[in-house]
Amino acid sequence: MKMLINVPETVVADALRGMAAAYPDLTVDVENRVIIRRDAPVHGQVALVSGGGSGHEPLHGGFVGPGMLSAACPGEVFTSPVPDQMLRAAAAVDSGAGVLFVVKNYTGDVLNFDMAAELAEDEGIQVAKVLVNDDVAVTDSLFTAGRRGTGATLFVEKIAGAAAAEGRPLEQVEAMARRVNENSRSFGVALSAVTTPAKGSPTFDLPDGELELGIGIHGEPGRERRPMMTSGEIADFAVHAILEDMPPHNPVLVLVNGMGATPLLELYGFNAEVQRVLAERGVAVVRTLVGNYVTSLDMAGASVTLCQVDEEMLGLWDAPVRTPALRWGM
């Protein structure tokens, strides 16, 4: 496989060096694998720290900045960061108001963030944690006990980040993060397999003419394989799976997310079909985001995430944000 890299062993460090050069608003510690907003710690504000394996960019480093994350910890490709990274991040961004860990539900992430929280509390840092587990495709998978954390991570980090920017205390920021997760559901589909730099070939077999419904962001198996479907048929399947699990009683935010190798031309067309299905089901849409936000390296495919919101949550979503991947109102 052809990749725009030097060698697999340095791919994460090289990416971090490039990120540092592109975004002077960030402090990027390449050696210790921590990305921090340059003005941290911000006096009187709860800090948000997240992280996970590399290969899902812009998640999480691309969401560091005012109105969203205070710091992110990138692990090796598809591998959890280690507790020392999270502890270093928490110590760098804590203003005394406490730190919220946003953790996707993958076994390594959960264990390492739990250990980091204990270490941080030993150093006098108040820590709360929220687990993101929005994927309706499967209950358990190769990497999780329970549901996987996927696209709702973006909604949690943005809305909770806005609550922190308002100066809300840690318990309120944590409660808002949990509220967002509880009101979010996702479903993904793969059109091609993912190739990691270390392996250099597809990590699973997906024959031509077939797709995987309910795929995970590491290439974990989904619900079933089928012959290739149209964009409209995929939207019908994905949205119905979400609404069966979460019949919304409020309007929704919509994320139509690319897995890394799907062009915007296709994602916008897919969004049109998602919006059609939601309209047919009588679901009101208040905001829509389309693009590559929670990716899986070079996987072709897409995911749909719905988050039902009230006026308070919508106001926090609309609040100003300035990060490499998400910015408005500033």
Side-chain angles (χ1 to χ4, degrees), residues 233-257:
E233 291 168 340
I234 295 170
D236 282 326
F237 193 101
V239 175
H240 288 159
I242 292 171
L243 296 182
E244 284 175 7
D245 196 90
M246 182 193 70
H249 54 268
N250 282 326
V252 298
L253 306 175
V254 177
L255 171 63
V256 171
N257 170 68

Side-chain angles (χ1 to χ4, degrees), residues 110-121:
V110 173
L111 292 174
N112 287 344
F113 270 101
D114 282 348
M115 186 178 299
E118 293 178 7
L119 294 172
E121 287 167 352

Side-chain angles (χ1 to χ4, degrees), residues 1 28 37 43 67 88 122 135 137 154 194 234:
M1 299 295 293
V28 182
R37 54 183 286 184
H43 178 71
R88 188 179 297 271
D122 288 344
D135 186 6
L154 183 153
V194 59
I234 295 170

Side-chain angles (χ1 to χ4, degrees), residues 159-284:
I159 293 174
E166 289 185 349
R168 300 189 191 189
L170 180 59
E171 60 270 18
Q172 291 186 19
V173 177
E174 177 190 5
M176 179 57 69
R178 293 186 186 281
R179 195 159 125 204
V180 175
N181 178 66
E182 289 165 2
N183 283 281
S184 299
R185 300 290 190 277
S186 297
F187 190 93
V189 58
L191 309 182
S192 72
V194 59
T195 301
T196 63
K199 191 169 188 292
S201 60
T203 56
F204 61 94
D205 177 48
L206 186 56
D208 290 342
E210 294 186 7
L211 79 167
E212 181 95 26
L213 293 165
I215 197 74
I217 58 173
H218 305 99
E220 310 98 315
R223 288 188 177 186
E224 60 179 290
R225 287 190 180 180
R226 288 191 181 184
M228 187 60 194
M229 301 157 65
T230 67
S231 177
E233 291 168 340
I234 295 170
D236 282 326
F237 193 101
V239 175
H240 288 159
I242 292 171
L243 296 182
E244 284 175 7
D245 196 90
M246 182 193 70
H249 54 268
N250 282 326
V252 298
L253 306 175
V254 177
L255 171 63
V256 171
N257 170 68
M259 291 297 193
T262 305
L264 276 170
L265 181 71
E266 296 178 29
L267 291 178
Y268 283 131
F270 183 53
N271 178 55
E273 297 298 336
V274 169
Q275 302 286 335
R276 170 189 59 79
V277 179
L278 291 171
E280 290 172 354
R281 293 289 296 267
V283 180

Side-chain angles (χ1 to χ4, degrees), residues 49-129:
V49 174
S50 193
S54 296
H56 305 304
E57 290 74 23
L59 189 81
H60 295 270
F63 299 144
V64 174
M68 213 160 175
L69 292 179
S70 306
C73 306
E76 292 296 329
V77 172
F78 291 179
T79 303
S80 171
V82 298
D84 283 351
Q85 290 174 260
M86 302 149 191
L87 177 60
R88 188 179 297 271
V93 299
D94 179 37
S95 69
V99 177
L100 177 66
F101 284 167
V102 179
V103 188
K104 300 189 306 301
N105 188 30
Y106 296 96
T107 301
D109 289 5
V110 173
L111 292 174
N112 287 344
F113 270 101
D114 282 348
M115 186 178 299
E118 293 178 7
L119 294 172
E121 287 167 352
D122 288 344
E123 296 194 5
I125 301 171
Q126 185 183 7
V127 176
K129 302 187 297 291

